[in-house]
Amino acid sequence: MRFIVTENYEEMSYIAAQETAKFIRENPKLVLGLSTGGTPLGTYQELIKLHEKEKLDFSQVVTFNLDEYIGLEPNHPQSYTRYTWDNFLSKVNIQKQNVHIPPGIFNDDKQVLKEYDQKMLEAGGIDVQVLGVGGNGHIGFNEPSELLNSHTHIASLTDKTIKDNARFFSNIEEVPRKAIAMGVGSILKAKHIIFIANGSEKADAVKKTFNGRITTDCPSSLLQLHANLTVILDKKAAKLLN
Ligand code: F6R
């Protein structure tokens, strides 16, 4: 586990993008796991800059998103499909067929879940996962619970997550209550994880993730078991770490 504590969000984003770019340069066919939400926005902006200024090549990169809200059309302003294309993928030279995001609207849930895991398997699993964390320690909507799912599944958002994510919607009622989420098994199988967190509101979750006991009550604490983890935090998120 490697810890990097930065001065601020901008520096965290810059370093996370440089780390990701290093992996892409080493392996142009990298299978990259993508997170959404506020945390990785700066990282994606830096990756776009690297594409524009240094010709970082995404033409063979394959991506898998961690999750999608159930009930939102792909072009809904708050869908993670729209987020990922608008904030990142439409601005680099990725090929559409290499992008995988769970659907928010579907008929056969079992089929959708099975297919997503199957596609990940066929791609050889995630090489590098960019990972944020929820204020309650959720990773990719794997919420605190007695039991966690290993595979892609339908996740129920906790009240805390619904409240936290309401900032992106016009009101809290609009926040979907369910999502399709990659399982913790798939996340932990990623060959490398780049964990990013910023701001004081994440300090407690960060402490529980790395200084606490390993427990499904804090799904991110399972990351302590991962052998290739790069943790990039701004100093506010790192302030409670021992
Ligand atoms: C979303 C995801 C979530 C977020 C978490 C933090 O794809 O994986 O686990 O990383 O909810 O969200 P922000 O970054 O908005 O604080």
Side-chain angles (χ1 to χ4, degrees):
M1 205 179 297
R2 191 159 64 101
F3 274 86
I4 301 168
V5 179
T6 66
E7 266 313 296
N8 51 37
Y9 177 75
E10 287 69 29
E11 197 190 351
M12 177 202 81
S13 305
Y14 176 82
I15 293 174
Q18 290 291 336
E19 286 282 316
T20 310
K22 184 191 81 188
F23 284 111
I24 296 175
R25 290 192 189 102
E26 279 167 15
N27 173 13
K29 294 183 179 175
L30 195 81
V31 180
L32 182 61
L34 298 178
S35 179
T36 54
T39 313
L41 278 173
T43 305
Y44 297 150
Q45 278 162 15
E46 291 294 336
L47 282 168
I48 294 166
K49 273 193 216 158
L50 287 171
H51 169 66
E52 288 169 350
K53 296 198 176 129
E54 296 179 22
K55 302 212 176 351
L56 182 65
D57 181 21
F58 290 81
S59 64
Q60 298 180 81
V61 170
V62 174
T63 61
F64 282 89
N65 272 58
L66 280 171
D67 37 32
E68 177 59 288
Y69 287 121
I70 292 179
L72 299 192
E73 298 281 352
N75 65 356
H76 185 286
Q78 297 310 332
S79 83
Y80 285 161
T81 306
R82 175 88 180 262
Y83 166 105
T84 309
W85 281 102
D86 284 1
N87 294 304
F88 183 22
L89 298 180
S90 67
K91 297 179 174 131
V92 297
N93 64 333
I94 196 140
Q95 298 196 57
K96 202 166 181 228
Q97 69 268 25
N98 288 346
V99 173
H100 304 90
I101 307 176
I105 307 270
F106 47 83
N107 291 322
D108 185 344
D109 55 340
K110 284 203 180 83
Q111 181 67 16
V112 163
L113 303 175
K114 205 169 110 190
E115 258 177 36
Y116 204 62
D117 282 338
Q118 185 62 33
K119 281 187 197 150
M120 246 184 296
L121 203 67
E122 283 163 14
I126 307 288
D127 290 315
V128 174
Q129 176 68 52
V130 175
L131 193 64
V133 65
N136 62 359
H138 74 230
I139 41 175
F141 287 147
N142 290 276
E143 296 276 26
S145 163
E146 201 178 324
L147 301 171
L148 296 176
N149 284 278
S150 180
H151 296 108
T152 304
H153 59 284
I154 295 190
S156 297
L157 275 56
T158 58
D159 290 345
K160 159 96 177 122
T161 301
I162 293 167
K163 254 188 234 146
D164 284 352
N165 289 7
R167 69 191 195 278
F168 297 114
F169 292 81
S170 23
N171 66 65
I172 193 162
E173 299 313 319
E174 276 185 22
V175 183
R177 272 34 183 179
K178 289 188 183 295
I180 293 198
M182 206 187 269
V184 282
S186 310
I187 297 173
L188 289 175
K189 269 188 243 154
K191 295 174 193 83
H192 203 116
I193 296 177
I194 298 175
F195 178 99
I196 47 178
N198 67 287
S200 313
E201 58 286 3
K202 293 290 170 68
D204 189 49
V206 165
K207 182 179 169 65
K208 288 189 177 131
T209 302
F210 300 109
N211 288 162
R213 295 173 72 169
I214 298 171
T215 166
T216 58
D217 284 338
C218 178
S220 52
S221 67
L222 272 81
L223 296 171
Q224 293 179 38
L225 301 170
H226 200 278
N228 293 305
L229 188 65
T230 303
V231 181
I232 310 169
L233 308 167
D234 77 348
K235 64 181 181 197
K236 290 183 180 158
K239 71 182 177 191
L240 300 178
L241 280 179
N242 290 335

